[in-house]
Amino acid sequence: MIRKMLFILLAAAGLLGPATELSAQRCLYGQTGIQFNGGPCGGFLLRDKYEAWSFHVDLSVIRYVRKNRYWEFCIGYLRKDYPYREVTIPKEQFTAGAGYFVPIVHDRRDNFMAMTGVSGLLGYETVNRGEKRLYDGAALKNRNNFIYGGEITLSGEAYLCDRAVLLLMLRERIMGGSSVSCFHTLLGVGLRIMIY
């Protein structure tokens, strides 16, 4: 029993030892990570009292350059439902983009950073999944379109360990070509895993 406990303690010390020694190995030139984030769009609720969904999800690849700055290459999905009588009409955006992020504030060991960035986006927007005629015979004037624009982002990043980062984000999306709405405020929570 004592040998087993001693073995477990030594194994834990061996696993934790390298993590504390490697705490300086953050935000280095060439480091790459995969990031997933999502959250509500245009408010604090994913679903409102009308049963309307409003959310976004993004999958990104992060590539660090000098001085804690990084490039982000992402694909994303956004859905916002609009109530109409007894039903909701979904608007969906499928986007791809790239952005550049710089630190505003960070501590000496880079455990916490506040970042800001600008991203360019291209994508496709569909309204009611392309169906023009509604259940009551009314016709939608909004149409499916290619969209273009960008996002301004403010994010907080906290390292849980050298290879895992917790993210809190606030984004303002501005998209041209939309036949419904050009502006969206996105709140998000995410996780970044460093793979190299």
Side-chain angles (χ1 to χ4, degrees):
M1 180 70 177
I2 294 175
R3 278 192 216 169
K4 194 174 189 179
M5 299 249 323
L6 186 60
F7 176 76
I8 290 170
L9 288 173
L10 287 173
L15 291 173
L16 294 175
T20 53
E21 290 171 18
L22 294 175
S23 63
Q25 306 300 315
R26 296 179 180 168
C27 309
L28 297 179
Y29 179 81
Q31 276 188 322
T32 303
I34 294 176
Q35 171 177 303
F36 177 79
N37 70 74
C41 164
F44 293 99
L45 299 175
L46 295 172
R47 199 163 190 188
D48 66 13
K49 63 182 178 180
Y50 301 108
E51 302 297 313
W53 287 99
S54 178
F55 68 92
H56 71 97
V57 291
D58 297 305
L59 179 64
S60 307
V61 174
I62 303 299
R63 179 83 171 171
Y64 279 93
V65 292
R66 299 193 191 325
K67 298 181 181 176
N68 294 348
R69 299 165 188 228
Y70 61 81
W71 283 97
E72 176 188 47
F73 305 94
C74 68
I75 56 173
Y77 172 77
L78 179 144
R79 175 176 171 161
K80 185 164 179 59
D81 291 347
Y82 295 89
Y84 174 75
R85 296 189 180 176
E86 296 87 29
V87 298
T88 57
I89 299 170
K91 176 185 81 169
E92 298 167 296
Q93 292 181 348
F94 303 89
T95 55
Y100 188 70
F101 290 76
V102 297
I104 303 170
V105 176
H106 63 93
D107 66 355
R108 199 168 60 96
R109 292 188 157 199
D110 294 332
N111 292 320
F112 173 80
M113 285 182 268
M115 306 286 288
T116 187
V118 176
S119 303
L121 297 171
L122 291 172
Y124 189 73
E125 178 181 89
T126 178
V127 180
N128 202 29
R129 296 187 175 99
E131 186 63 43
K132 294 282 189 190
R133 191 68 59 187
L134 299 178
Y135 76 99
D136 61 355
L140 283 175
K141 291 185 178 179
N142 304 89
R143 58 192 184 283
N144 298 345
N145 285 318
F146 286 99
I147 53 176
Y148 53 89
E151 290 178 338
I152 300 169
T153 304
L154 179 64
S155 70
E157 304 180 359
Y159 275 82
L160 303 175
C161 64
D162 287 331
R163 295 201 176 266
V165 184
L166 181 65
L167 308 163
L168 295 173
M169 297 185 175
L170 172 64
R171 297 184 184 217
E172 183 63 31
R173 178 178 286 189
I174 306 159
M175 298 300 283
S178 173
S179 64
V180 181
S181 175
C182 295
F183 297 92
H184 292 291
T185 301
L186 312 177
L187 300 174
V189 176
L191 184 67
R192 179 184 305 152
I193 303 296
M194 303 309 297
I195 56 175
Y196 170 71

